[in-house]
Amino acid sequence: MRILLNIVCLIVAALVSSAARAQEPVRWRGGAQAAAIERRIDRLIASMTLEEKVGQLHLYGRREGFDYAEIRAGRVGNVMNFVDPVEMAAVQKAARESRLKIPLLIGLDAVHGVSTYFPLPLGQAATFNPGLAEEAALWTAREARALGINWTFAPMVDMGRDPRWGRLLEGAGEDVHLSNVMAAARTRGYQAGGVAATAKHFVGYGGGEGGRDYNTAWIPVEQLHDLHLPPFRASLDAGSLSVMASFNSVNGVPATAHKGMLSDLLRGSWRFRGLVVSDFGSIPELIKHGIARDEPEAARKALAAGIDIDMMGFVYARHLAAEVRAGRVPMVQVEAAVRRVLRVKFHAGMDRMADIDPKTAEVALQSQAARDAARRNARESIILLDNNGILPLRAAQAKRVLVVGALARADQERVWTDPAGVPRRPIEGLDAALQRLLGPVSDVFFQPGVTSYCGLELAQRAAVIEAAAAADVIVAKLGEDCEFMGEGASRTRLTLPGVQDALLEDLIASGKPVVLVLATGRPLVLTHLKGRLAALVQTFHAGSEGRAAIAEVLTGAFNPSGKTPMSFPRSVGQIPVYYDHLPTGRPETRIRQRYESIYIDEANQPLYPFGFGLSYTDFGFSDLAVDVAGAGREAVISVSVTLANRGARDGQEVVQLYVRQPQASISRPVRQLKAFDKIMLKAGETRRVTLVVKASDLGYHDAQGGHVVEPGRFDVFVGNSALADLKGDFVLARRPSRAGQAGALR
Ligand code: BGC
């Protein structure tokens, strides 16, 4: 028996390692390799027919009756939304049987996992731990590669400043520094795991008016450069091979036809050499945007602006060749786009990627290492927003624990972004996980409370009320799911969907302490619950290991360290509400009087600020010191503080550094996050922590898009949220200039 077991283990190990071997990292090649790739592309383009060229610019999605002959004929150069390894091997084989044998890009939205699920990207941002985000992307890519996917439509690096916008769960929230850090980490992770990353959606998708998906964005040049563009730059600097254009119009021009953004800025100023893919069907949408009369014109405008690949719009495939023949589209434009597509394929080594073997593919899914990474990520993504002392639950006090909510048990915590059809393991219920951790002294019992996990109907209300009466403590897991978050799920009411608020009121009415665990895709408005819950725990769907991690946090096996990646509004009417706003001439005072910039019926501050999250221990900050080395934009500022764990438990704290320039030529934000670090301290331990900022990161863009760093005084604030109040300052000196001129440092 033992021998048999060993043999099985060896076979599994061999299969796993052969699947792992296929995962060569994806990256830009330099020097002689890059030159050889360009020569190879020259030769290929010289030998391609017009139809083969157009084929490279066409991205076709999996559908019933998908015609492999189109691939063999060279008319389809890229495919998407395949997840079955058997089909994946077959499409790539069809490409090998084509005349030029150019490999396919096989794309998928591998957003936060493929088989092992990590927290939603917004939850990963809440970890304030880029190492975990990188690891999540790495495992996501490894699982994707094992199935044959070599291109992911991720990371989404759009700013998420409006919680009405359902899509912000794919990004890192409201802060540009955190978004930059996460964009770079996720890009590195995906590409290290063997899939080409796509920074999307270029640009301003998160700026849609009213938080409505696909809606018009009007973004001043200064804000475009200071807020929306930097995460793209961060992803490209981390090596991203592709970019996806956004659906919406930006300052009057649909992003899909925005030559200024795609060609002049991205390819011109930024020298991006990779490919740009349209969003799903967005080229023919240029007709509805009102800038193209028909499909051929839409194709011409998109190509001329700089869209290389038409994702599911079919207009390149249908019209480009004819447009070239009619002399309306220059061949050089088509060839330039083909070059960029081939460049990505060859730099990524797609021609050398080993064929996947469908028999071994699934062995590489759900490895223990991937699950461990998902657990680490889930733990740190959990944010403790309120706690009256009930948490961590102790078995002695929590003898009878009622767990409520279909979300606590749903077989699969599957969310909108996840590809269907990939095998997954069932996830342990939250009640089972709590029982396991609290041990036999406690009795954990369960009521779904609602009939489905989007909470549209109450289930057995009387039984829930009875169970609540019998409990010492109630843990309710409620939230947004199904149709309530993600793409196309903008909302005007940021409440718990369906009847979940009514369910919660029943639980609170029982008089028993209620611990609310939220799983949402955005911050909800929670003002009416303030002071009425024993504890409030926020997760952004924490993935395959999420429930086990939540149970660890609730029982104290893990000390929470997640921080809000967005401000939580007090009411929808406050939106937009973000911490790094500009000052006004009539700021809110303590008296709050009329003719100040306030609402007469609501405070200005959010309910929970950006960067906020509690711990089971207590951290203190003291002894701030600032050191400036050098002058001008080359200066480096080091800010040191003493961080003390003053409580009785080990724990992690996110040390956050905010900077403000109180006087400048233009109004500057009241504060901006410029650096952070997550520090683990033992109970009673104290450590000196130093955060470093480059003076070049203290600047802003002017109305022409030029970058300016103004010398002068800066205030710094250090602490554990955007309300950080340990304050210091420094002076950024002008670099001695030969001309000895005063003014900004450009
Ligand atoms: C989304 C993209 C996504 C594409 C393919 C679109 O609707 O906006 O982000 O990559 O679909 O699934």
Side-chain angles (χ1 to χ4, degrees):
M1 187 62 194
R2 184 84 179 264
I3 295 173
L4 194 65
L5 202 69
N6 283 343
I7 293 173
V8 171
C9 287
L10 280 176
I11 294 172
V12 169
L15 292 176
V16 170
S17 76
S18 80
R21 260 204 309 277
Q23 294 159 353
E24 188 189 336
V26 161
R27 62 180 174 85
W28 285 112
R29 320 266 148 183
Q33 264 183 313
I37 288 174
E38 295 304 310
R39 286 195 299 275
R40 181 172 172 199
I41 296 174
D42 290 339
R43 286 193 300 275
L44 259 177
I45 289 182
S47 70
M48 287 168 100
T49 63
L50 179 54
E51 275 67 25
E52 284 166 338
K53 289 174 191 164
V54 172
Q56 289 302 311
L57 310 184
H58 181 39
L59 170 56
Y60 187 22
R62 185 188 180 283
R63 290 177 172 186
E64 284 305 314
F66 180 86
D67 190 356
Y68 288 68
E70 289 292 293
I71 300 178
R72 277 187 214 101
R75 284 193 289 268
V76 173
N78 316 287
V79 297
M80 63 186 275
N81 288 352
F82 283 80
V83 288
D84 177 348
V86 175
E87 289 182 347
M88 214 96 69
V91 281
Q92 212 54 287
K93 179 163 173 283
R96 254 198 332 274
E97 289 163 3
S98 68
R99 191 175 75 87
L100 297 170
K101 307 187 186 345
I102 301 172
L104 299 168
L105 282 169
I106 306 188
L108 185 77
D109 292 277
V111 172
H112 65 128
V114 169
S115 178
T116 306
Y117 278 89
F118 293 79
L120 289 172
L122 191 59
Q124 296 186 34
T127 68
F128 275 67
N129 186 341
L132 292 177
E134 183 167 343
E135 194 176 53
L138 176 73
W139 281 107
T140 300
R142 284 183 177 157
E143 292 193 344
R145 268 305 290 142
L147 295 176
I149 293 148
N150 56 22
W151 187 27
T152 180
F153 306 130
M156 184 187 99
V157 301
D158 299 306
M159 295 302 299
R161 294 204 146 195
D162 190 329
R164 290 170 296 183
W165 187 45
R167 197 79 195 262
L168 55 77
L169 55 79
E170 282 184 65
E174 79 183 36
D175 179 67
V176 67
H177 178 69
L178 181 60
S179 296
N180 291 345
V181 169
M182 289 296 164
R186 294 178 65 205
T187 303
R188 282 195 302 270
Y190 282 125
Q191 297 203 156
V195 302
T198 306
K200 73 185 188 184
H201 306 81
F202 197 75
V203 55
Y205 187 37
E209 285 181 351
R212 210 173 73 211
D213 215 348
Y214 320 120
N215 202 13
T216 313
W218 290 101
I219 306 175
V221 173
E222 297 92 322
Q223 211 182 41
L224 203 55
H225 285 271
D226 282 342
L227 190 66
H228 294 270
L229 286 168
F232 286 92
R233 192 61 203 249
S235 174
L236 299 188
D237 287 348
S240 187
L241 265 59
S242 74
V243 166
M244 185 186 295
S246 110
F247 279 122
N248 57 308
S249 72
V250 191
N251 300 339
V253 182
T256 306
H258 210 308
K259 185 172 169 301
M261 284 292 130
L262 297 176
S263 293
D264 305 344
L265 182 102
L266 181 63
R267 297 221 169 89
S269 313
W270 289 9
R271 300 178 184 284
F272 176 60
R273 295 169 299 146
L275 70 84
V276 177
V277 60
S278 79
D279 206 339
F280 200 106
S282 74
I283 303 182
E285 286 178 16
L286 293 178
I287 303 170
K288 291 189 195 148
H289 272 289
I291 68 152
R293 256 176 302 273
D294 51 21
E295 287 192 351
E297 188 176 13
R300 290 198 298 275
K301 287 208 162 168
L303 187 72
I307 301 281
D308 301 317
I309 294 185
D310 173 2
M311 179 199 284
M312 295 299 285
F314 296 92
V315 296
Y316 281 5
R318 280 203 281 262
H319 306 289
L320 266 192
E323 290 298 296
V324 171
R325 290 199 174 100
R328 285 187 291 269
V329 168
M331 181 68 105
V332 287
Q333 235 174 45
V334 172
E335 288 181 352
V338 172
R339 176 175 296 279
R340 291 187 286 257
V341 174
L342 294 179
R343 193 181 279 149
V344 165
K345 291 183 177 182
F346 296 149
H347 277 261
M350 284 167 193
D351 49 336
R352 293 191 312 279
M353 278 178 184
D355 275 349
I356 59 147
D357 178 351
K359 289 197 286 299
T360 63
E362 284 176 14
V363 180
L365 304 180
Q366 298 272 345
S367 66
Q368 191 56 47
R371 293 175 70 93
D372 290 347
R375 179 76 66 95
R376 283 193 286 277
N377 202 310
R379 284 176 182 142
E380 294 197 26
S381 75
I382 297 167
I383 312 166
L384 180 60
L385 287 176
D386 269 313
N387 184 14
N388 71 1
I390 195 164
L391 297 183
L393 296 174
R394 282 156 287 253
Q397 281 92 46
K399 288 217 175 62
R400 287 161 306 160
V401 181
L402 168 63
V403 173
V404 183
L407 265 178
R409 271 236 186 136
D411 286 351
Q412 305 289 357
E413 200 157 320
R414 197 170 165 262
V415 294
W416 156 89
T417 31
D418 306 344
V422 181
R424 297 148 170 266
R425 282 200 205 167
I427 307 175
E428 184 182 31
L430 181 57
D431 52 329
L434 279 173
Q435 184 72 73
R436 179 166 54 74
L437 291 175
L438 288 169
V441 178
S442 296
D443 177 16
V444 182
F445 45 108
F446 175 74
Q447 280 289 332
V450 280
T451 50
S452 70
Y453 54 86
C454 38
L456 297 184
E457 262 177 70
L458 288 176
Q460 298 175 310
R461 182 168 178 226
V464 174
I465 292 172
E466 198 179 311
D472 296 324
V473 54
I474 301 168
V475 173
K477 184 159 186 229
L478 306 177
E480 285 183 308
D481 212 331
C482 301
E483 302 303 319
F484 286 91
M485 58 183 206
E487 185 177 347
S490 295
R491 302 182 63 198
T492 61
R493 281 173 283 273
L494 300 183
T495 50
L496 281 167
V499 295
Q500 295 180 87
D501 253 324
L503 169 64
L504 192 56
E505 289 302 330
D506 277 348
L507 299 176
I508 293 172
S510 74
K512 299 299 171 67
V514 176
V515 175
L516 175 61
V517 179
L518 287 172
T520 65
R522 53 157 72 83
L524 296 181
V525 171
L526 304 167
T527 315
H528 62 297
L529 296 174
K530 194 76 188 162
R532 300 171 66 215
L533 299 167
L536 176 57
V537 175
Q538 172 71 45
T539 72
F540 296 104
H541 288 271
S544 309
E545 295 292 319
R547 296 204 202 122
I550 291 168
E552 288 178 8
V553 164
L554 296 182
T555 57
F558 187 81
N559 190 353
S561 65
K563 303 285 174 184
T564 51
M566 293 184 69
S567 307
F568 277 53
R570 283 174 196 270
S571 70
V572 171
Q574 266 189 328
I575 297 169
V577 53
Y578 50 86
Y579 81 92
D580 58 341
H581 55 84
L582 298 187
T584 67
R586 296 186 172 196
E588 182 183 26
T589 62
R590 206 170 304 148
I591 312 164
R592 285 181 60 81
Q593 49 195 339
R594 201 160 174 175
Y595 309 119
E596 289 180 356
S597 177
I598 56 169
Y599 297 102
I600 55 168
D601 58 353
E602 188 56 277
N604 282 10
Q605 290 296 324
L607 190 65
Y608 300 101
F610 171 82
F612 170 79
L614 301 170
S615 162
Y616 295 145
T617 190
D618 171 37
F619 290 97
F621 296 81
S622 62
D623 300 319
L624 184 135
V626 188
D627 175 67
V628 184
R633 62 161 67 234
E634 277 80 45
V636 174
I637 300 98
S638 306
V639 179
S640 305
V641 289
T642 300
L643 176 69
N645 181 347
R646 302 185 295 213
R649 281 170 175 266
D650 301 352
Q652 286 169 287
E653 183 55 292
V654 180
V655 180
Q656 303 168 38
L657 168 64
Y658 295 86
V659 177
R660 165 178 77 182
Q661 187 166 24
Q663 282 88 37
S665 313
I666 61 165
S667 217
R668 302 291 297 129
V670 292
R671 54 180 64 189
Q672 285 182 301
L673 183 70
K674 290 295 170 186
F676 63 84
D677 200 0
K678 196 163 193 179
I679 307 287
M680 174 77 194
L681 286 189
K682 295 218 169 306
E685 197 184 342
T686 290
R687 190 176 313 161
R688 198 78 184 141
V689 178
T690 300
L691 299 177
V692 176
V693 185
K694 291 189 280 187
S696 53
D697 290 339
L698 299 176
Y700 59 85
H701 287 84
D702 61 23
Q704 286 69 47
H707 191 246
V708 182
V709 181
E710 287 194 60
R713 201 190 96 215
F714 288 80
D715 295 331
V716 301
F717 307 86
V718 178
N720 52 8
S721 82
L723 302 181
D725 56 5
L726 183 62
K727 187 166 176 275
D729 59 31
F730 67 92
V731 172
L732 179 64
R734 190 185 323 286
R735 200 172 39 157
S737 84
R738 258 171 275 147
Q741 286 162 350
L745 309 166
R746 274 165 204 276

